[in-house]
Amino acid sequence: MSSFLKVNGTKIVDGDGSEVILRGAGLGGWMTMENFITGYPGCEFQIREALAEVLGKEKSDFFFDKFLEYFFAEPDAAFFKSLGLNCIRIAIGYRHFEDDMNPRVLRPDCFKHLDRAVAACAKHGIYTILDMHTAPGGQNGGWHSDHGTHIASFWKHKDFQDRLVWLWREVADHYKDEKWIAGYNPMNEPADPEHSGLVSYYDRVFAAINSVDKNHILFLDGNTYATDFSGFPEDAATRWPGAAYAIHDYSVYGFPKTPEPYARTEEQLRRMRRSYEKKREWMDQRGLCVWNGEWGPVYARKEYEGDETDEINERRYNVLHDQLELYHRDRLSWSIWLYKDIGFQGMVYVSRETPYMQLFKDFLHKKHRLAVDAWGADDRAVRHVFDPLIALIKENVPNEEHRQLYPYPVWRVEERATRLARTMLIGEFLVGEWAAHFRGMDEAQLARLAESFKFENCVERGGLNRVLREHAKQTGAA
């Protein structure tokens, strides 16, 4: 490859001006671990602190370093390429690069694992997009922004914003000559209540990156979890030249709380299509380039859904297929969520026979029963506990407008109660139990646990990958 990718109108093109459609997956759960992906409760910073208390900092650092080494390596890249895919969106967290108590100072070897992943992908002809999944202070109220509260403080403190702008300049300077990096995704799923703060941040980060690197595309997420562009400026095309605009197109039919089982009815297909078209409408009206940075169903598991597992998953594969047909129609670039996890959504997942999964088998069942992870949770076993709280709020706040707290409508009363009363409150009480599983382990035992995440110790999700392979053959991945 002899040139960087660029945006030309609504298309991504190579140096010859030929269209390139990026089709791939998100590498989440790695440099931003995420609880449902790797099996811990709460936020990543909480389990890192807890494990250091149990093992001591040296052995805790050893485990997490080995985890990063094994979770994504060249065999993963080779398998990914075999599916006919050509781009991996790598979710990174700011804490890997700087310390909150020593800001604006790069950590030693902070690019070690990321450099290795980018090189492995480049070797197999796979583009990468670097996605800042966590920001200082938190850019949204989700667990995946790794700050432990529902208040997105990034938008309230200029110093948090200054730090992230500084960090992106450092990252861009480091990778300015890497042609297999398609571009930078400066913030995952922002949730700015005022909207104007996000525009200001994009102005600043665009200028900072361009001061050292004019070679790479910026993929700009919409506000309110990459769904809302209404606060974006009318002069976006000239304000941020060469940028692409990122939506996240999760379909309600791919999750346990679907309004009804997906049967590919005309009405269901209409709702799926309308949800997708509404997210990209602002860009289409202005002739801007759209990228779908996240989408995809979650999947049933035998240990939880029993005999219904196969039937549920066939419906989810149909959701997957029908969304791909929409994207193919529009020649849309996309990144499915997720490449690897412990069995809920990944294209590959850690075998249940590995030391890690055996160690946490009972704990993971408890987490599932308590619905302690927000993502795709089945809360039937604990609904009787939380429904009275939701009813109490609605009865005592009868004015519906007063219940529409940002980020409404993404979070209604039910979703807010889920985050605060279940996934944060109960989750943090389980952090110590998760860490206690490691007590007394030496480095050899810790290495064996981390090795559970190696590609050779994972299982391929056949139905999901079959759909991806078929689509790649149908459309080509160049």
Side-chain angles (χ1 to χ4, degrees):
M1 191 189 69
S2 60
S3 63
F4 295 93
L5 298 184
K6 300 291 183 184
V7 167
N8 182 5
T10 62
K11 298 178 181 179
I12 296 172
V13 299
D14 62 18
D16 297 325
S18 300
E19 183 180 16
V20 176
I21 299 177
L22 300 174
R23 300 183 178 91
L27 179 55
W30 183 54
M31 290 190 75
T32 298
M33 288 180 69
E34 288 207 51
N35 48 37
F36 81 94
I37 299 177
T38 48
Y40 65 84
C43 294
E44 181 177 349
F45 81 90
Q46 293 172 317
I47 63 151
R48 283 179 173 268
E49 290 174 357
L51 194 60
E53 290 181 8
V54 168
L55 291 176
K57 188 176 187 306
E58 185 175 344
K59 285 202 291 186
S60 175
D61 288 348
F62 173 85
F63 170 76
F64 285 116
D65 188 67
K66 287 297 180 184
F67 167 85
L68 289 167
E69 178 183 342
Y70 296 141
F71 191 99
F72 189 83
E74 193 170 317
D76 294 280
F79 169 74
F80 192 88
K81 185 66 174 181
S82 76
L83 299 177
L85 304 177
N86 66 354
C87 186
I88 292 180
R89 175 187 182 232
I90 303 178
I92 58 179
Y94 82 94
R95 297 179 196 271
H96 283 277
F97 301 94
E98 65 159 358
D99 191 313
D100 284 328
M101 297 303 291
N102 191 25
R104 299 177 186 82
V105 176
L106 290 176
R107 291 178 182 270
D109 297 324
C110 62
F111 289 103
K112 177 179 72 171
H113 292 294
L114 189 55
D115 283 350
R116 182 175 52 79
V118 169
C121 290
K123 179 178 179 179
H124 291 278
I126 301 168
Y127 292 102
T128 50
I129 295 172
L130 305 187
D131 146 42
M132 191 62 70
H133 224 69
T134 76
Q139 74 273 23
N140 60 47
W143 71 95
H144 43 80
S145 61
D146 192 30
H147 67 111
T149 178
H150 69 295
I151 302 297
S153 295
F154 179 86
W155 311 108
K156 296 178 176 293
H157 296 279
K158 184 175 180 296
D159 192 60
F160 289 150
Q161 299 166 25
D162 292 347
R163 284 169 57 188
L164 193 58
V165 170
W166 166 83
L167 178 55
W168 264 117
R169 188 183 184 282
E170 297 295 319
V171 172
D173 189 50
H174 185 81
Y175 288 114
K176 60 181 179 292
D177 299 320
E178 178 51 68
K179 294 178 180 178
W180 281 105
I181 289 181
Y184 310 127
N185 190 189
M187 179 172 284
N188 175 67
E189 296 190 340
D192 169 23
E194 302 299 327
H195 298 274
S196 58
L198 178 59
V199 174
S200 176
Y201 168 68
Y202 281 163
D203 281 342
R204 296 184 64 202
V205 78
F206 187 92
I209 289 173
N210 271 264
S211 71
V212 294
D213 178 2
K214 293 181 172 61
N215 294 323
H216 291 104
I217 300 168
L218 266 65
F219 296 85
L220 305 178
D221 275 28
N223 198 21
T224 316
Y225 297 85
T227 65
D228 180 10
F229 294 85
S230 63
F232 277 41
E234 286 299 322
D235 64 345
T238 54
R239 190 167 183 153
W240 307 315
Y245 296 81
I247 64 172
H248 287 183
D249 187 37
Y250 290 106
S251 171
V252 67
Y253 297 115
F255 290 83
K257 288 189 175 181
T258 177
E260 70 274 338
Y262 188 62
R264 295 175 135 170
T265 66
E266 287 188 15
E267 176 59 19
Q268 289 174 335
L269 289 166
R270 186 197 67 79
R271 287 187 64 185
M272 179 186 289
R273 182 175 62 253
R274 179 55 187 149
S275 176
Y276 158 63
E277 290 174 345
K278 185 177 179 181
K279 289 167 188 167
R280 61 174 294 159
E281 190 171 52
W282 189 89
M283 285 75 75
D284 288 342
Q285 291 171 350
R286 292 158 180 81
L288 301 173
C289 181
V290 182
W291 171 61
N292 184 7
E294 284 186 26
W295 65 285
V298 299
Y299 298 96
R301 295 157 287 185
K302 288 282 187 184
E303 59 266 43
Y304 304 130
E305 283 79 17
D307 293 341
E308 298 179 44
T309 298
D310 291 343
E311 182 181 350
I312 292 170
N313 286 342
E314 281 306 313
R315 290 197 294 266
R316 304 279 168 81
Y317 299 143
N318 288 339
V319 172
L320 177 80
H321 176 275
D322 292 345
Q323 287 190 274
L324 281 170
E325 287 300 307
L326 289 174
Y327 306 155
H328 175 51
R329 178 199 67 184
D330 290 339
R331 301 187 64 79
L332 177 73
S333 290
W334 49 260
S335 175
I336 196 170
W337 194 256
L338 174 74
Y339 170 61
K340 181 186 286 187
D341 68 356
I342 59 170
F344 193 37
Q345 195 171 19
M347 294 157 54
V348 300
Y349 56 90
V350 179
S351 168
R352 286 155 176 78
E353 306 307 314
T354 57
Y356 185 89
M357 294 300 286
Q358 288 294 305
L359 179 66
F360 286 102
K361 180 180 179 180
D362 293 340
F363 183 77
L364 292 172
H365 275 267
K366 178 191 282 191
K367 276 187 67 190
H368 182 266
R369 175 173 53 82
L370 294 174
V372 78
D373 296 337
W375 188 240
D378 183 345
D379 65 353
R380 285 177 293 182
V382 293
R383 201 173 293 162
H384 67 285
V385 176
F386 297 99
D387 279 354
L389 173 62
I390 294 167
L392 179 69
I393 295 170
K394 290 183 175 180
E395 288 167 9
N396 288 277
V397 187
N399 186 326
E400 187 175 351
E401 184 178 347
H402 294 166
R403 301 201 302 260
Q404 294 177 358
L405 305 177
Y406 187 82
Y408 179 90
V410 177
W411 288 11
R412 301 176 188 270
V413 174
E414 292 79 4
E415 287 75 23
R416 209 171 192 87
T418 290
R419 264 78 173 176
L420 274 70
R422 197 172 79 220
T423 67
M424 291 182 187
L425 179 61
I426 297 178
E428 68 180 4
F429 279 108
L430 293 177
V431 168
E433 182 179 345
W434 179 88
H437 285 76
F438 294 82
R439 194 174 302 281
M441 290 188 179
D442 59 25
E443 287 192 351
Q445 292 171 303
L446 294 171
R448 282 194 292 274
L449 281 183
E451 285 177 355
S452 300
F453 291 87
K454 279 186 170 182
F455 177 77
E456 52 263 42
N457 294 322
C458 290
V459 178
E460 179 182 346
R461 186 173 295 284
L464 165 58
N465 295 327
R466 182 188 70 246
V467 175
L468 293 178
R469 281 191 182 96
E470 290 173 353
H471 185 76
K473 290 177 183 177
Q474 171 190 351
T475 60

